[in-house]
Amino acid sequence: MWLSKHLSLKARPRGFHLITGEITDALPKLARLRVGLLHVFIQHTSAALCINENADPSVRRDFLTVFNRLIPEGSSSYEHNDEGPDDLPAHIKASLLGSSISLPIANGRLQLGTWQGIYLCEHRDHGGARRLVLTLQGEED
């Protein structure tokens, strides 16, 4: 079985946002798979995806702090600034984290670890709605 679906995420402020539930809710056929793989791709260059801690919100706040320190806004050495001071730093941050993730599926569930969740990593102050492409493949029960 193969399935491809677009998922539009509502606009969110800059930060690291858990979206695991939104993704699984968009894929009711996931529950029917005995074994498979989910590929998630974000169609943007200033936001990213990653997997990390899903329980303690301080992890998400600390991620934001570290990324903003590592890649500051407003550097005079940046050439690309057409869309504001957060634009080029957002592209760099998104490149470091990546535009896609792949997750194994077994017995109708994503095989995330106990403390793992899927993050939308929003690097713009006003990035707007974000669009994901979800590709599900696997063998049904």
Side-chain angles (χ1 to χ4, degrees), residues 66-80:
V66 168
F67 269 79
N68 287 337
R69 277 192 200 141
L70 287 174
I71 305 157
E73 293 179 14
S75 173
S76 62
S77 63
Y78 297 155
E79 185 176 337
H80 178 78

Side-chain angles (χ1 to χ4, degrees), residues 84-97:
D86 66 343
D87 188 35
L88 181 66
H91 292 307
I92 295 168
K93 293 170 187 176
S95 292
L96 290 174
L97 287 170

Side-chain angles (χ1 to χ4, degrees), residues 17-77:
H17 307 278
L18 279 170
I19 59 169
T20 311
E22 290 173 76
I23 290 171
T24 56
D25 288 350
L27 296 168
K29 290 187 178 185
L30 176 71
R32 299 193 334 225
L33 294 184
R34 183 178 56 78
V35 64
L37 189 66
L38 171 63
H39 185 262
V40 184
F41 176 76
I42 189 165
Q43 294 182 305
H44 302 275
T45 60
S46 58
L49 299 169
C50 75
I51 297 172
N52 217 295
E53 165 77 50
N54 70 349
D56 185 349
S58 68
V59 172
R60 296 189 292 277
R61 291 189 301 269
D62 289 342
F63 264 56
L64 181 61
T65 298
V66 168
F67 269 79
N68 287 337
R69 277 192 200 141
L70 287 174
I71 305 157
E73 293 179 14
S75 173
S76 62
S77 63

Side-chain angles (χ1 to χ4, degrees), residues 92-107:
I92 295 168
K93 293 170 187 176
S95 292
L96 290 174
L97 287 170
S99 58
S100 67
I101 55 173
S102 293
L103 300 120
I105 299 163
N107 302 315

